[in-house]
Amino acid sequence: MIVFGILTPLEHGLRHVLNWLHGTIGLPWAWSIVALTVIVRLILVPLTVRQIHSMQNLQRHAPQMKEIQKRYKGDRQKLNEELMKFYRENQINPASSCLPTVAQLPVFFSLYFVLRNFSKEAHNPKLGAHLGDLSWLHVVPSIADKASSHWSGFVLLVIYVVSQLASSYFMSTTMERSQRIMLLVLPVAFVAFIAHFPTGLVLYWVTTNLWTVGQGLITRRLVPKNAPPPPKRSSRTLAKEEPAAPAGGRPEARQPKPASAAAPSQPRKVKRKKQNKSRR
């Protein structure tokens, strides 16, 4: 009830937008939800830009962050302190990548209440005639019913899982492997819970997932690629390339031998004559 009271103004606003899209523009209710999703994502463009910049910044500093993680692998508290210090020094805000998702949660719950009222009005003969047709593409009988109430809802749930996995893949490019696996497993784990949501709400989430996938494709082109590390050389290669330095200082250049040292020794006959003269 508290959540319902806080979200009541947003619920009324979404209902007015849907009524305008359906009554004035002439869109069916399902396509009105798709258009509403696009409007919400356009409003969140400033947060999306901050998200892209945050992902670029994290990607750029990923090697330094991995070095910090390796250095303080055994000390969790020291690791968190050094990472927070590194974030402050490089003006990195890891929470910026989650801002669009967090900002959509109130819209998600408010749209749930709107569609729940649609379901109540559809069963009322007077209000049901005012709503008109709630089907979509002549396949989904009603966007206000639960997704598990018709086989078309299960098809939409499969599309939801695929789109959620794709959007999670692009959103988790800067996360650790364990976090990425958890983010990819969650859509499959919660599909049984989401099956009890109205079909229109699942349609809203599928549309926003497809938007996120398109955003991720653009972001991948904008994120700069890290320069490859220099090739590692073995100690034997370094020993061959660099001469060993003496204990006292820098290595001395090899001096050519003097010409006198290279001259051949005198013949033995000359030495014998000199010895005979000395005896006489």
Side-chain angles (χ1 to χ4, degrees), residues 193-235:
F193 176 71
I194 297 172
H196 296 282
F197 286 162
T199 307
L201 197 62
V202 180
L203 178 61
Y204 168 84
W205 208 251
V206 168
T207 307
T208 194
N209 285 340
L210 295 177
W211 180 287
T212 305
V213 171
Q215 171 190 315
L217 293 174
I218 297 174
T219 304
R220 282 208 159 192
R221 293 187 177 183
L222 295 178
V223 172
K225 295 182 180 180
N226 295 327
K232 296 182 178 180
R233 294 181 296 179
S234 61
S235 57

Side-chain angles (χ1 to χ4, degrees), residues 15 19 22 29 117-134:
R15 180 62 185 265
N19 289 336
H22 176 71
W29 286 113
N117 292 332
F118 272 23
S119 180
K120 294 179 181 179
E121 295 174 9
H123 293 88
N124 190 326
K126 296 180 180 179
L127 299 177
H130 173 70
L131 284 177
D133 187 13
L134 292 175

